[in-house]
Amino acid sequence: MTEWWRGGVIYQVYPRSFQDSNGDGIGDLPGIIARLDHIAGLGVDCIWLSPITQSPQADMGYDVSDYREVDRLFGSLQDFDSLVAQAHARGLKVIMDQVVSHSSDQHPWFQESRLNRTNHKADWYVWADPLPDGSPPNNWPAVFGGRAWEWNPTRGQYYMHNFLASQPDLNFHNPDVQDAVLDIMRFWLERGIDGFRLDTVNYYFHDKQLRSNPPNKIKSEHLAYAVNPYDMQEHVYSKSQPENVDFLRRVRSLLNEFPGATSVGEVGDSHKSVALMAEYTSGGDTLHMCYGFDFLGDDFTAAHFRTRIEQFFREGPDGWPCWSFSNHDVPRHVTRWAPHAEAQNALARQSAALVLSLKGSVCLYQGEELGLPETDLLFEELTDPRGIRFWPEDKGRDGCRTPIPWDGGSAPNGFTTGTPWLPVKSAQSVLNVATQNTDAGSTLAFYRAILAWRKTQPVLKTGDILFYDTAEPVLSFLRTEGNASLLCLFNLSAEPQQIKIGGLGPTTVLEPVSQNAALADDTLTLTANGYAFIPVSAGVTVASA
C-alpha cells in the first residue's frame, strides 16, 4: 500500500466542539458523521479524532478511565464504527488519540495499584518513597502547576503525575505496561482505525534514578519571570528518556501488521523538540511522523521556519515531520501572528499556503479553514484547568476550543440546540460555514482551492526543499522532485517587499493560488502577507531587491 500519510493532510477534529447531535451542548460522534461532507469537501486525506474514550473529563478526555470504551458524552462503539465506515466511504482515513503516558486515577489499573505495594498492578505506575523529611523524591514539577508528586497514604508513597494529580503516569519501565498499551492499540486497529496520534509521546519514560532536573538556562524573551514554574527547569530526567525509542519500535512493529496504518507523535520539549521529532521518526522502524510546538508559538520569522526545518532533515534525513500552525493546545495562529499582518483573512490564507508547501505532512485544526481567531473568554467561562490556575497571564486552551459556527444568524450557529459547553462569540459567529459557503472569496473557499491545487503538485507532497538566503521578512525556498521545481516565496510582514529572481523563462507566470503578488520581468513584488508559487527550471537565483 502506498504511504498515503507521507505529505498527506490531516484534519484535527476536537469532538466536543465540532457538532452536537442531541442538544446537550457537547459535540459527539453522530454530529461528526453529520458533518463528514464538510471535511471531505475540503480535500484532506485524514481525520484525527481528539480523545473520545471513557473519561471523568478532568482534562477534557486526556484522562482515560477505560481505553476500550467510547465515553457516553460522545456516543457508543457502534457510533465509532459508523463514523469510520462513513469516513472510509468518502475516501477519508481516521486516526485517533491514544493518551497512554498517563491514565485517569479512576482507571481500574490505578485503583488497584494504589491499594498496597504488593498487588498485581503495584508497579504499573511511578511510585517513590518520600525523602527523610517527608518531601517528594525530587524537584520535578507538573505541567499544570505544583509538584509532579502526589502523596498516597495507603502505600506511604508518592505517585508521579506530569499533569493533574488525577492523571497518574504509567510506568513504561514495566514490560507489562508496554504490553497492555500495545493490546489497547491492537483493539482499535482491529476495529478499523487507520492509526494513532500519540499524545505526549516523549513523556512515556522517566529517569529510573529519579534525578532532579537542572534549572532552565534559556530565559523567556517575552516575560521577566515564568508564569508557570514548569518552564523554570530543563526537563532532562522527567521525560524524553533514551529508552523511549525501543518502545516506539514496538509500536511500529504492531502498526506494520495493519497495512496503511500510521502514527504521528506529539513531542513536547522546549529544549530539543526538533531533535526528538527526527529521532522518533528515523530508521524506518519507529514512528511514521512527529510534530512539535516549534510552529505553534509566537515566532513568525523566515529564520525561525528555515532553521527548524533544516535542523529536522539534517538530524533525521530519513525521518518525516508533520507541521501544524494551530491545534487544541495553543491560541489560534491568526491571533498569535496578527502583529505581522495587515488583514486577518490575508494572514489566514498565507498561513495555509505556507504550511501546505513545507516538506512534510500537514495537520489542519478544525475552524482554521474559516479563519477563526482565538475566542476571548471571561474567567467565569473557562473549563481548562491550566487557564483556571494561571489566569490571566496564561488564559489556557479554551479560547481555541470554542464550537464551530455552522449556520448563519446568531450564536451558537447550529452547533447545538442547547447551551454550548463553551460560548460562540460574535467574532467567530460571523465567520460561519453557511455564509462562507456562498462567498467565492471566503477563507473557506480558499482552503478548498489551495488543497485542490496542492493535489496537482506532487513536488509539494514528497519533494526536497532548498532555502534561499533572502533577508527578513522574506522566506523563500525551492521544492524539487525529478524534473519538477516550484519556487515558493512568502512576505511574512505587512510591508511590501521586492525579490529579484534570475533565470526565469520569458513565459513564466505565477500559479493562480498566489496572493498579493506581481511578477514584472525578474522582479517579484509581494505586498502585505503576499506569497507566490512559480514553476521554474533548475538554476534560478533568488535575492532580496
Side-chain angles (χ1 to χ4, degrees), residues 332-393:
R332 289 186 176 273
H333 62 264
V334 295
T335 297
R336 295 199 320 267
W337 295 337
H340 305 277
E342 185 175 79
Q344 181 176 296
N345 61 350
L347 177 60
R349 297 177 189 208
Q350 181 186 59
S351 301
L354 176 55
V355 76
L356 289 166
S357 60
L358 301 176
K359 183 179 180 180
S361 299
V362 177
C363 186
L364 306 176
Y365 179 48
Q366 67 177 43
E368 73 171 83
E369 75 273 22
L370 307 177
L372 293 186
E374 184 80 352
T375 302
D376 191 13
L377 296 169
L378 303 173
F379 179 80
E380 303 80 55
E381 295 169 324
L382 298 187
T383 67
D384 180 22
R386 193 184 88 190
I388 292 170
R389 177 131 192 186
F390 295 112
W391 176 277
E393 286 78 14

Short mmCIF file of all heavy atoms in Angstrom, two decimals, residues 332-393:
data_model
loop_
_atom_site.label_atom_id
_atom_site.label_comp_id
_atom_site.label_asym_id
_atom_site.label_seq_id
_atom_site.Cartn_x
_atom_site.Cartn_y
_atom_site.Cartn_z
N ARG A 332 -5.07 30.25 18.50
CA ARG A 332 -5.14 30.11 17.04
C ARG A 332 -4.14 31.05 16.36
O ARG A 332 -3.90 32.17 16.81
CB ARG A 332 -6.57 30.39 16.56
CG ARG A 332 -7.55 29.27 16.94
CD ARG A 332 -8.91 29.49 16.33
NE ARG A 332 -9.83 28.39 16.61
CZ ARG A 332 -9.94 27.29 15.87
NH1 ARG A 332 -9.17 27.14 14.80
NH2 ARG A 332 -10.80 26.35 16.19
N HIS A 333 -3.58 30.59 15.24
CA HIS A 333 -2.45 31.31 14.65
C HIS A 333 -2.81 32.66 14.06
O HIS A 333 -1.97 33.55 14.00
CB HIS A 333 -1.71 30.43 13.63
CG HIS A 333 -2.52 30.01 12.44
ND1 HIS A 333 -3.16 28.80 12.37
CD2 HIS A 333 -2.77 30.63 11.26
CE1 HIS A 333 -3.76 28.69 11.20
NE2 HIS A 333 -3.55 29.78 10.52
N VAL A 334 -4.05 32.85 13.60
CA VAL A 334 -4.38 34.17 13.05
C VAL A 334 -4.42 35.23 14.15
O VAL A 334 -4.31 36.43 13.87
CB VAL A 334 -5.71 34.18 12.25
CG1 VAL A 334 -5.59 33.29 11.02
CG2 VAL A 334 -6.88 33.77 13.12
N THR A 335 -4.55 34.79 15.39
CA THR A 335 -4.44 35.72 16.52
C THR A 335 -2.99 35.85 16.97
O THR A 335 -2.50 36.97 17.21
CB THR A 335 -5.32 35.24 17.70
OG1 THR A 335 -6.69 35.24 17.28
CG2 THR A 335 -5.17 36.14 18.91
N ARG A 336 -2.28 34.74 17.08
CA ARG A 336 -0.88 34.79 17.52
C ARG A 336 -0.03 35.66 16.61
O ARG A 336 0.83 36.39 17.06
CB ARG A 336 -0.27 33.38 17.53
CG ARG A 336 -0.84 32.41 18.52
CD ARG A 336 0.12 31.25 18.76
NE ARG A 336 0.80 30.73 17.58
CZ ARG A 336 0.36 29.72 16.83
NH1 ARG A 336 -0.78 29.13 17.11
NH2 ARG A 336 1.07 29.29 15.80
N TRP A 337 -0.26 35.53 15.31
CA TRP A 337 0.62 36.20 14.34
C TRP A 337 0.02 37.50 13.79
O TRP A 337 0.56 38.08 12.85
CB TRP A 337 0.93 35.23 13.20
CG TRP A 337 1.73 34.04 13.64
CD1 TRP A 337 2.54 33.96 14.74
CD2 TRP A 337 1.82 32.76 13.00
NE1 TRP A 337 3.13 32.71 14.82
CE2 TRP A 337 2.70 31.95 13.77
CE3 TRP A 337 1.25 32.21 11.85
CZ2 TRP A 337 3.02 30.63 13.42
CZ3 TRP A 337 1.55 30.90 11.51
CH2 TRP A 337 2.43 30.11 12.28
N ALA A 338 -1.06 37.96 14.40
CA ALA A 338 -1.71 39.19 13.93
C ALA A 338 -0.77 40.39 13.86
O ALA A 338 -0.91 41.24 12.97
CB ALA A 338 -2.93 39.51 14.80
N PRO A 339 0.21 40.55 14.77
CA PRO A 339 1.11 41.70 14.67
C PRO A 339 1.91 41.76 13.37
O PRO A 339 2.47 42.80 13.03
CB PRO A 339 2.04 41.52 15.88
CG PRO A 339 1.24 40.73 16.87
CD PRO A 339 0.44 39.78 16.02
N HIS A 340 1.95 40.65 12.64
CA HIS A 340 2.72 40.60 11.38
C HIS A 340 1.83 40.74 10.15
O HIS A 340 2.29 40.50 9.03
CB HIS A 340 3.49 39.28 11.31
CG HIS A 340 4.37 39.01 12.49
ND1 HIS A 340 5.63 39.54 12.61
CD2 HIS A 340 4.13 38.30 13.63
CE1 HIS A 340 6.16 39.14 13.77
NE2 HIS A 340 5.27 38.39 14.40
N ALA A 341 0.59 41.10 10.37
CA ALA A 341 -0.36 41.11 9.26
C ALA A 341 -1.12 42.43 9.19
O ALA A 341 -1.30 43.12 10.20
CB ALA A 341 -1.34 39.96 9.40
N GLU A 342 -1.59 42.72 7.99
CA GLU A 342 -2.44 43.89 7.77
C GLU A 342 -3.91 43.51 7.91
O GLU A 342 -4.72 44.28 8.41
CB GLU A 342 -2.17 44.47 6.38
CG GLU A 342 -2.91 45.76 6.08
CD GLU A 342 -2.50 46.32 4.73
OE1 GLU A 342 -3.00 45.81 3.70
OE2 GLU A 342 -1.67 47.25 4.71
N ALA A 343 -4.23 42.30 7.46
CA ALA A 343 -5.62 41.83 7.50
C ALA A 343 -5.65 40.37 7.92
O ALA A 343 -4.82 39.57 7.51
CB ALA A 343 -6.28 42.00 6.13
N GLN A 344 -6.64 40.03 8.73
CA GLN A 344 -6.74 38.68 9.27
C GLN A 344 -6.94 37.64 8.17
O GLN A 344 -6.33 36.56 8.20
CB GLN A 344 -7.91 38.62 10.26
CG GLN A 344 -8.13 37.27 10.91
CD GLN A 344 -9.25 37.34 11.94
OE1 GLN A 344 -9.16 38.02 12.94
NE2 GLN A 344 -10.34 36.63 11.65
N ASN A 345 -7.77 37.95 7.17
CA ASN A 345 -8.03 36.95 6.13
C ASN A 345 -6.79 36.72 5.27
O ASN A 345 -6.54 35.61 4.80
CB ASN A 345 -9.25 37.33 5.29
CG ASN A 345 -9.08 38.64 4.56
OD1 ASN A 345 -8.14 39.39 4.80
ND2 ASN A 345 -10.00 38.94 3.66
N ALA A 346 -5.99 37.77 5.05
CA ALA A 346 -4.76 37.60 4.27
C ALA A 346 -3.78 36.72 5.03
O ALA A 346 -3.09 35.87 4.44
CB ALA A 346 -4.13 38.95 3.96
N LEU A 347 -3.68 36.90 6.35
CA LEU A 347 -2.81 36.07 7.16
C LEU A 347 -3.29 34.62 7.16
O LEU A 347 -2.48 33.68 7.08
CB LEU A 347 -2.75 36.60 8.58
CG LEU A 347 -1.93 35.80 9.59
CD1 LEU A 347 -0.47 35.71 9.15
CD2 LEU A 347 -2.03 36.41 10.99
N ALA A 348 -4.61 34.41 7.23
CA ALA A 348 -5.15 33.05 7.21
C ALA A 348 -4.77 32.33 5.92
O ALA A 348 -4.38 31.15 5.94
CB ALA A 348 -6.67 33.09 7.36
N ARG A 349 -4.84 33.05 4.82
CA ARG A 349 -4.50 32.43 3.52
C ARG A 349 -3.00 32.18 3.40
O ARG A 349 -2.57 31.13 2.93
CB ARG A 349 -5.00 33.32 2.39
CG ARG A 349 -6.51 33.47 2.38
CD ARG A 349 -6.98 34.42 1.31
NE ARG A 349 -8.40 34.70 1.46
CZ ARG A 349 -9.20 35.03 0.46
NH1 ARG A 349 -8.73 35.11 -0.76
NH2 ARG A 349 -10.48 35.26 0.69
N GLN A 350 -2.22 33.17 3.80
CA GLN A 350 -0.77 32.99 3.72
C GLN A 350 -0.32 31.82 4.59
O GLN A 350 0.52 31.02 4.18
CB GLN A 350 -0.04 34.26 4.17
CG GLN A 350 1.48 34.11 4.06
CD GLN A 350 2.22 35.29 4.64
OE1 GLN A 350 2.08 35.62 5.81
NE2 GLN A 350 3.01 35.95 3.80
N SER A 351 -0.89 31.71 5.78
CA SER A 351 -0.51 30.62 6.67
C SER A 351 -0.83 29.26 6.05
O SER A 351 -0.03 28.32 6.13
CB SER A 351 -1.23 30.76 8.01
OG SER A 351 -0.92 32.00 8.62
N ALA A 352 -2.00 29.16 5.45
CA ALA A 352 -2.37 27.90 4.78
C ALA A 352 -1.41 27.60 3.65
O ALA A 352 -0.94 26.45 3.50
CB ALA A 352 -3.80 27.98 4.27
N ALA A 353 -1.10 28.59 2.84
CA ALA A 353 -0.19 28.39 1.72
C ALA A 353 1.18 27.94 2.21
O ALA A 353 1.83 27.08 1.60
CB ALA A 353 -0.08 29.68 0.90
N LEU A 354 1.62 28.52 3.33
CA LEU A 354 2.94 28.18 3.84
C LEU A 354 2.99 26.76 4.38
O LEU A 354 3.85 25.96 4.00
CB LEU A 354 3.34 29.19 4.93
CG LEU A 354 4.67 28.93 5.63
CD1 LEU A 354 5.82 28.80 4.63
CD2 LEU A 354 4.97 30.02 6.65
N VAL A 355 2.09 26.41 5.27
CA VAL A 355 2.15 25.08 5.88
C VAL A 355 1.94 23.99 4.84
O VAL A 355 2.50 22.89 4.95
CB VAL A 355 1.15 24.96 7.04
CG1 VAL A 355 -0.29 24.79 6.55
CG2 VAL A 355 1.53 23.83 7.98
N LEU A 356 1.16 24.28 3.80
CA LEU A 356 0.89 23.29 2.76
C LEU A 356 2.01 23.18 1.73
O LEU A 356 1.96 22.32 0.85
CB LEU A 356 -0.43 23.62 2.05
CG LEU A 356 -1.69 23.38 2.89
CD1 LEU A 356 -2.90 24.05 2.25
CD2 LEU A 356 -1.95 21.89 3.09
N SER A 357 3.03 24.03 1.84
CA SER A 357 4.14 23.96 0.88
C SER A 357 5.45 23.53 1.53
O SER A 357 6.46 23.36 0.84
CB SER A 357 4.33 25.30 0.17
OG SER A 357 4.61 26.34 1.09
N LEU A 358 5.47 23.34 2.85
CA LEU A 358 6.67 22.86 3.53
C LEU A 358 6.87 21.37 3.28
O LEU A 358 5.92 20.64 3.01
CB LEU A 358 6.56 23.12 5.03
CG LEU A 358 6.38 24.57 5.46
CD1 LEU A 358 6.21 24.64 6.97
CD2 LEU A 358 7.55 25.43 5.02
N LYS A 359 8.11 20.92 3.39
CA LYS A 359 8.39 19.49 3.25
C LYS A 359 7.93 18.77 4.50
O LYS A 359 8.40 19.04 5.61
CB LYS A 359 9.87 19.24 3.02
CG LYS A 359 10.20 17.77 2.79
CD LYS A 359 11.69 17.54 2.53
CE LYS A 359 11.98 16.06 2.31
NZ LYS A 359 13.42 15.80 2.07
N GLY A 360 6.98 17.86 4.35
CA GLY A 360 6.42 17.13 5.47
C GLY A 360 4.94 16.93 5.26
O GLY A 360 4.37 17.35 4.25
N SER A 361 4.31 16.28 6.23
CA SER A 361 2.86 16.19 6.23
C SER A 361 2.29 17.40 6.95
O SER A 361 3.02 18.19 7.55
CB SER A 361 2.40 14.88 6.89
OG SER A 361 2.90 13.77 6.17
N VAL A 362 0.97 17.54 6.90
CA VAL A 362 0.33 18.75 7.42
C VAL A 362 -0.85 18.36 8.29
O VAL A 362 -1.59 17.43 7.97
CB VAL A 362 -0.18 19.64 6.25
CG1 VAL A 362 -0.91 20.87 6.78
CG2 VAL A 362 0.97 20.05 5.35
N CYS A 363 -1.02 19.08 9.39
CA CYS A 363 -2.21 18.92 10.20
C CYS A 363 -2.92 20.26 10.30
O CYS A 363 -2.34 21.26 10.73
CB CYS A 363 -1.87 18.40 11.60
SG CYS A 363 -3.35 18.01 12.56
N LEU A 364 -4.17 20.29 9.86
CA LEU A 364 -5.02 21.47 9.97
C LEU A 364 -5.96 21.27 11.15
O LEU A 364 -6.44 20.16 11.39
CB LEU A 364 -5.84 21.67 8.69
CG LEU A 364 -5.06 21.75 7.38
CD1 LEU A 364 -6.03 21.86 6.20
CD2 LEU A 364 -4.07 22.90 7.38
N TYR A 365 -6.24 22.34 11.88
CA TYR A 365 -7.11 22.27 13.05
C TYR A 365 -8.49 22.81 12.70
O TYR A 365 -8.60 23.87 12.08
CB TYR A 365 -6.49 23.06 14.19
CG TYR A 365 -7.31 23.09 15.47
CD1 TYR A 365 -7.84 21.92 16.01
CD2 TYR A 365 -7.53 24.28 16.14
CE1 TYR A 365 -8.58 21.95 17.17
CE2 TYR A 365 -8.26 24.32 17.32
CZ TYR A 365 -8.79 23.15 17.83
OH TYR A 365 -9.52 23.18 18.99
N GLN A 366 -9.51 22.09 13.12
CA GLN A 366 -10.88 22.50 12.79
C GLN A 366 -11.09 23.99 13.04
O GLN A 366 -10.71 24.53 14.07
CB GLN A 366 -11.89 21.68 13.59
CG GLN A 366 -11.86 21.94 15.09
CD GLN A 366 -12.94 21.14 15.83
OE1 GLN A 366 -13.17 19.97 15.56
NE2 GLN A 366 -13.62 21.80 16.76
N GLY A 367 -11.71 24.65 12.07
CA GLY A 367 -12.00 26.07 12.19
C GLY A 367 -10.98 26.96 11.54
O GLY A 367 -11.29 28.11 11.21
N GLU A 368 -9.77 26.47 11.29
CA GLU A 368 -8.81 27.34 10.64
C GLU A 368 -9.19 27.57 9.19
O GLU A 368 -8.84 28.61 8.61
CB GLU A 368 -7.38 26.82 10.78
CG GLU A 368 -6.98 25.62 9.97
CD GLU A 368 -5.47 25.37 10.04
OE1 GLU A 368 -5.01 24.74 11.02
OE2 GLU A 368 -4.75 25.80 9.12
N GLU A 369 -9.95 26.62 8.61
CA GLU A 369 -10.43 26.83 7.24
C GLU A 369 -11.46 27.96 7.17
O GLU A 369 -11.78 28.43 6.08
CB GLU A 369 -11.01 25.53 6.67
CG GLU A 369 -12.37 25.13 7.21
CD GLU A 369 -12.33 24.32 8.49
OE1 GLU A 369 -11.30 24.39 9.21
OE2 GLU A 369 -13.32 23.61 8.78
N LEU A 370 -11.96 28.39 8.31
CA LEU A 370 -12.87 29.53 8.38
C LEU A 370 -12.14 30.82 8.75
O LEU A 370 -12.74 31.89 8.77
CB LEU A 370 -13.98 29.27 9.42
CG LEU A 370 -14.76 27.97 9.27
CD1 LEU A 370 -15.76 27.82 10.41
CD2 LEU A 370 -15.46 27.92 7.92
N GLY A 371 -10.85 30.70 9.07
CA GLY A 371 -10.10 31.86 9.54
C GLY A 371 -10.46 32.26 10.95
O GLY A 371 -10.33 33.44 11.31
N LEU A 372 -10.91 31.31 11.77
CA LEU A 372 -11.35 31.65 13.12
C LEU A 372 -10.20 32.20 13.95
O LEU A 372 -9.12 31.61 14.01
CB LEU A 372 -11.92 30.43 13.83
CG LEU A 372 -13.22 29.82 13.31
CD1 LEU A 372 -13.68 28.71 14.24
CD2 LEU A 372 -14.31 30.87 13.17
N PRO A 373 -10.43 33.32 14.65
CA PRO A 373 -9.45 33.82 15.60
C PRO A 373 -9.66 33.17 16.96
O PRO A 373 -10.65 32.46 17.19
CB PRO A 373 -9.78 35.32 15.67
CG PRO A 373 -11.27 35.37 15.46
CD PRO A 373 -11.58 34.24 14.49
N GLU A 374 -8.75 33.41 17.88
CA GLU A 374 -8.89 32.96 19.25
C GLU A 374 -10.11 33.62 19.89
O GLU A 374 -10.36 34.82 19.69
CB GLU A 374 -7.62 33.32 20.04
CG GLU A 374 -7.58 32.82 21.45
CD GLU A 374 -7.19 31.36 21.56
OE1 GLU A 374 -7.10 30.67 20.52
OE2 GLU A 374 -6.97 30.90 22.70
N THR A 375 -10.88 32.86 20.65
CA THR A 375 -12.04 33.41 21.34
C THR A 375 -11.62 34.05 22.66
O THR A 375 -10.88 33.46 23.44
CB THR A 375 -13.08 32.31 21.63
OG1 THR A 375 -13.47 31.71 20.39
CG2 THR A 375 -14.31 32.89 22.31
N ASP A 376 -12.07 35.27 22.88
CA ASP A 376 -11.77 36.00 24.11
C ASP A 376 -12.81 35.62 25.16
O ASP A 376 -14.00 35.94 25.02
CB ASP A 376 -11.79 37.50 23.84
CG ASP A 376 -11.23 38.31 25.01
OD1 ASP A 376 -10.60 37.70 25.88
OD2 ASP A 376 -11.41 39.54 25.03
N LEU A 377 -12.39 34.90 26.19
CA LEU A 377 -13.30 34.38 27.19
C LEU A 377 -13.11 35.07 28.54
O LEU A 377 -12.01 35.51 28.88
CB LEU A 377 -13.10 32.87 27.37
CG LEU A 377 -13.42 31.99 26.15
CD1 LEU A 377 -12.92 30.58 26.39
CD2 LEU A 377 -14.91 31.99 25.86
N LEU A 378 -14.19 35.12 29.31
CA LEU A 378 -14.13 35.58 30.68
C LEU A 378 -13.63 34.45 31.58
O LEU A 378 -13.76 33.26 31.23
CB LEU A 378 -15.51 36.03 31.15
CG LEU A 378 -16.19 37.13 30.34
CD1 LEU A 378 -17.62 37.34 30.85
CD2 LEU A 378 -15.39 38.43 30.40
N PHE A 379 -13.10 34.79 32.73
CA PHE A 379 -12.64 33.76 33.67
C PHE A 379 -13.76 32.80 34.03
O PHE A 379 -13.55 31.59 34.11
CB PHE A 379 -12.08 34.41 34.94
CG PHE A 379 -11.60 33.41 35.95
CD1 PHE A 379 -10.37 32.79 35.82
CD2 PHE A 379 -12.40 33.07 37.04
CE1 PHE A 379 -9.94 31.85 36.75
CE2 PHE A 379 -11.98 32.12 37.97
CZ PHE A 379 -10.74 31.52 37.82
N GLU A 380 -14.97 33.35 34.19
CA GLU A 380 -16.10 32.51 34.60
C GLU A 380 -16.49 31.50 33.52
O GLU A 380 -17.22 30.54 33.80
CB GLU A 380 -17.33 33.37 34.93
CG GLU A 380 -17.12 34.42 36.01
CD GLU A 380 -16.42 35.65 35.47
OE1 GLU A 380 -16.91 36.26 34.50
OE2 GLU A 380 -15.35 35.99 36.01
N GLU A 381 -16.05 31.72 32.29
CA GLU A 381 -16.40 30.83 31.19
C GLU A 381 -15.38 29.70 30.99
O GLU A 381 -15.61 28.80 30.18
CB GLU A 381 -16.53 31.64 29.89
CG GLU A 381 -17.67 32.63 29.93
CD GLU A 381 -17.66 33.61 28.77
OE1 GLU A 381 -16.55 34.02 28.34
OE2 GLU A 381 -18.74 33.98 28.29
N LEU A 382 -14.28 29.73 31.72
CA LEU A 382 -13.21 28.76 31.50
C LEU A 382 -13.57 27.38 32.03
O LEU A 382 -14.27 27.23 33.02
CB LEU A 382 -11.92 29.22 32.17
CG LEU A 382 -11.29 30.53 31.71
CD1 LEU A 382 -9.93 30.72 32.38
CD2 LEU A 382 -11.13 30.58 30.19
N THR A 383 -13.03 26.36 31.35
CA THR A 383 -13.11 24.97 31.81
C THR A 383 -11.73 24.34 31.92
O THR A 383 -11.56 23.32 32.58
CB THR A 383 -13.96 24.11 30.84
OG1 THR A 383 -13.26 23.99 29.59
CG2 THR A 383 -15.33 24.73 30.60
N ASP A 384 -10.74 24.92 31.27
CA ASP A 384 -9.40 24.35 31.18
C ASP A 384 -8.66 24.52 32.51
O ASP A 384 -8.49 25.65 32.99
CB ASP A 384 -8.62 25.02 30.06
CG ASP A 384 -7.21 24.48 29.90
OD1 ASP A 384 -6.97 23.34 30.34
OD2 ASP A 384 -6.36 25.20 29.34
N PRO A 385 -8.19 23.42 33.12
CA PRO A 385 -7.50 23.55 34.40
C PRO A 385 -6.25 24.42 34.35
O PRO A 385 -5.92 25.09 35.33
CB PRO A 385 -7.17 22.10 34.78
CG PRO A 385 -7.32 21.30 33.52
CD PRO A 385 -8.34 22.01 32.70
N ARG A 386 -5.58 24.43 33.22
CA ARG A 386 -4.38 25.27 33.12
C ARG A 386 -4.75 26.75 33.15
O ARG A 386 -4.12 27.55 33.85
CB ARG A 386 -3.63 24.96 31.82
CG ARG A 386 -2.22 25.53 31.78
CD ARG A 386 -1.56 25.26 30.44
NE ARG A 386 -1.87 26.31 29.48
CZ ARG A 386 -1.59 26.23 28.18
NH1 ARG A 386 -1.03 25.13 27.70
NH2 ARG A 386 -1.88 27.22 27.36
N GLY A 387 -5.78 27.12 32.39
CA GLY A 387 -6.21 28.51 32.37
C GLY A 387 -6.73 28.98 33.72
O GLY A 387 -6.46 30.10 34.17
N ILE A 388 -7.49 28.11 34.37
CA ILE A 388 -8.05 28.46 35.68
C ILE A 388 -6.92 28.69 36.68
O ILE A 388 -6.98 29.61 37.51
CB ILE A 388 -9.01 27.35 36.14
CG1 ILE A 388 -10.26 27.34 35.25
CG2 ILE A 388 -9.40 27.55 37.60
CD1 ILE A 388 -11.16 26.14 35.46
N ARG A 389 -5.86 27.90 36.59
CA ARG A 389 -4.76 28.01 37.56
C ARG A 389 -3.89 29.24 37.30
O ARG A 389 -3.44 29.89 38.25
CB ARG A 389 -3.91 26.76 37.50
CG ARG A 389 -2.69 26.83 38.43
CD ARG A 389 -2.58 25.60 39.26
NE ARG A 389 -1.60 25.75 40.34
CZ ARG A 389 -1.24 24.77 41.14
NH1 ARG A 389 -1.80 23.58 41.01
NH2 ARG A 389 -0.37 24.96 42.10
N PHE A 390 -3.63 29.56 36.03
CA PHE A 390 -2.63 30.58 35.72
C PHE A 390 -3.22 31.88 35.16
O PHE A 390 -2.49 32.74 34.69
CB PHE A 390 -1.58 30.02 34.74
CG PHE A 390 -0.77 28.91 35.32
CD1 PHE A 390 -0.89 27.62 34.84
CD2 PHE A 390 0.11 29.14 36.37
CE1 PHE A 390 -0.14 26.58 35.37
CE2 PHE A 390 0.86 28.11 36.92
CZ PHE A 390 0.74 26.83 36.41
N TRP A 391 -4.55 32.01 35.18
CA TRP A 391 -5.20 33.24 34.72
C TRP A 391 -4.65 34.44 35.50
O TRP A 391 -4.40 34.35 36.69
CB TRP A 391 -6.72 33.10 34.95
CG TRP A 391 -7.53 34.31 34.63
CD1 TRP A 391 -7.74 35.39 35.41
CD2 TRP A 391 -8.24 34.56 33.41
NE1 TRP A 391 -8.53 36.30 34.79
CE2 TRP A 391 -8.85 35.82 33.54
CE3 TRP A 391 -8.42 33.84 32.23
CZ2 TRP A 391 -9.64 36.38 32.55
CZ3 TRP A 391 -9.19 34.41 31.24
CH2 TRP A 391 -9.79 35.65 31.39
N PRO A 392 -4.53 35.63 34.86
CA PRO A 392 -4.81 35.93 33.45
C PRO A 392 -3.57 35.88 32.56
O PRO A 392 -3.66 36.08 31.35
CB PRO A 392 -5.34 37.35 33.52
CG PRO A 392 -4.54 37.98 34.63
CD PRO A 392 -4.33 36.88 35.64
N GLU A 393 -2.38 35.65 33.16
CA GLU A 393 -1.16 35.62 32.35
C GLU A 393 -1.20 34.50 31.32
O GLU A 393 -0.69 34.63 30.21
CB GLU A 393 0.06 35.49 33.26
CG GLU A 393 0.42 36.75 34.03
CD GLU A 393 -0.48 36.98 35.23
OE1 GLU A 393 -1.20 36.04 35.64
OE2 GLU A 393 -0.46 38.10 35.79
#
